[in-house]
Amino acid sequence: MQIIEQLVPLRMAVERLRQDGPLALVPTMGALHEGHLTLVREARAHAAHVAVSIFVNPRQFGAGEDLASYPRPREQDLALLRAEGVSLVWAPDVATMYPPGYATNVSVSGISEPLCGAARPGHFDGVATVVCKLFNQVQPDLALFGEKDWQQLAVIRRMVHDLDLTRPYADDIYGVPTVRETDGLALSSRNAYLSAEEREVAAALPRAMQAAIARLQAGEAAAACLADLQRALLAVGFASVDYAELCDADTLAPLEGTGDGPARLLVAARIGKARLIDNMGV
Ligand code: PAF
């Protein structure tokens, strides 16, 4: 497994790897868990080689967010990736990604504005900018992202489509289903912030979502189900709920109830130092 931190050796390595067939990229911010490793395994099923990027992207963190404390267990991450047969790890530092004088921003309007976009202004500009750069740097034939970040996936697909990117094409952005703990909590690097007590409370999030989905599927109006979902989370010990919305799965437009098209329940809620997000199909 090659670990590369500079652009020129990256280009040479990528050129060599691509001679064997398609190259897949799994972009990450490190602090890897089974969800990331599932992306890597899925990538291996579609590509001759898998590259993983590890870069904690400062541009997607807002003021007062957890950029400084975000976990960076580099050696542990590298060992996990080695064991998964990853060919290349792209691990630039901040000065390599954003050299002095860097001035370009990729901003996807519309789909990036509600939900996490409203709660974390500028977040998706940071994501779109770094993912666009990662795609240009690694030039993968396909790229894989977790469905846990449903809105992020939609923003990236929009960006790749709108900018006519060819490595990867829009059709080559794969969403991989969320990996969950046995009690249903979605895996996230930020779960590490939870105390033992908060971790127990956190499991109420997927349970409350499933209860809301059962009522939505029985034909109840979204407004009542979502209000009860928020109340249930606050009652068990969540500090606040950024949003709990029923949306069109593709456009993220808010829905008043389940209709003909695919719908998605999306929630973000805060507990202790963690902001947990989750989403489920309805
Ligand atoms: O989902 C993440 O880990 C990050 O948002 C990503 C896509 C690697 C961009 O920094």
Side-chain angles (χ1 to χ4, degrees):
M1 184 174 85
Q2 301 175 76
I3 301 158
I4 301 183
E5 298 176 352
Q6 296 297 323
L7 275 165
V8 173
L10 175 71
R11 296 238 154 86
M12 284 160 35
V14 160
E15 215 165 285
R16 271 195 307 273
L17 292 179
R18 196 170 293 106
Q19 286 168 9
D20 296 336
L23 174 65
L25 173 66
V26 177
T28 81
M29 298 205 301
L32 304 178
H33 51 65
E34 199 56 27
H36 297 109
L37 303 182
T38 303
L39 296 179
V40 169
R41 289 173 203 138
E42 186 69 22
R44 287 191 68 188
H46 294 277
H49 289 287
V50 179
V52 173
S53 61
I54 298 180
F55 179 66
V56 181
N57 174 32
R59 293 175 74 102
Q60 69 186 77
F61 289 77
E65 290 190 349
D66 55 343
L67 173 61
S69 57
Y70 198 85
R72 292 163 169 86
R74 182 182 159 101
E75 291 313 315
Q76 184 184 308
D77 285 349
L78 294 177
L80 288 170
L81 296 177
R82 213 171 268 121
E84 292 295 334
V86 165
S87 301
L88 186 157
V89 174
W90 170 226
D93 63 12
V94 174
T96 302
M97 187 62 85
Y98 303 117
Y102 182 88
T104 301
N105 188 44
V106 179
S107 185
V108 179
S109 62
I111 202 146
S112 71
E113 289 164 20
L115 307 170
C116 283
R120 303 180 69 192
H123 169 68
F124 285 121
D125 282 14
V127 170
T129 300
V130 82
V131 171
C132 190
K133 283 176 67 74
L134 289 167
F135 286 172
N136 283 332
Q137 290 163 348
V138 179
Q139 305 249 313
D141 299 285
L142 60 148
L144 296 92
F145 297 86
E147 286 185 352
K148 178 176 160 287
D149 296 295
W150 187 265
Q151 188 177 15
Q152 166 173 283
L153 185 55
V155 169
I156 290 165
R157 285 199 165 114
R158 183 79 257 162
M159 177 208 43
V160 171
H161 190 269
D162 289 354
L163 295 182
D164 304 317
L165 297 192
T166 53
R167 274 190 197 276
Y169 280 110
D171 287 350
D172 300 320
I173 306 294
Y174 289 58
V176 177
T178 302
V179 179
R180 296 179 182 278
E181 304 273 11
T182 46
D183 62 5
L185 183 67
L187 295 193
S188 164
S189 307
R190 288 187 166 101
N191 292 353
Y193 299 153
L194 299 169
S195 67
E197 197 183 316
E198 289 161 353
R199 171 65 189 79
E200 267 188 42
V201 172
L205 174 59
R207 280 202 302 272
M209 291 175 70
Q210 272 153 359
I213 288 171
R215 289 174 59 191
L216 289 163
Q217 285 172 337
E220 282 194 52
C225 302
L226 298 173
D228 286 349
L229 167 52
Q230 296 207 29
R231 266 194 291 274
L233 293 178
L234 297 174
V236 291
F238 277 84
S240 60
V241 179
D242 281 358
Y243 59 79
E245 300 253 12
L246 181 69
C247 297
D248 179 284
D250 299 323
T251 65
L252 299 186
L255 298 175
E256 287 173 8
T258 53
D260 293 338
R264 204 93 194 161
L265 175 63
L266 299 104
V267 182
R270 295 176 193 263
I271 178 168
K273 285 194 230 129
R275 178 178 181 274
L276 304 181
I277 62 171
D278 201 348
N279 69 86
M280 295 179 185
V282 180

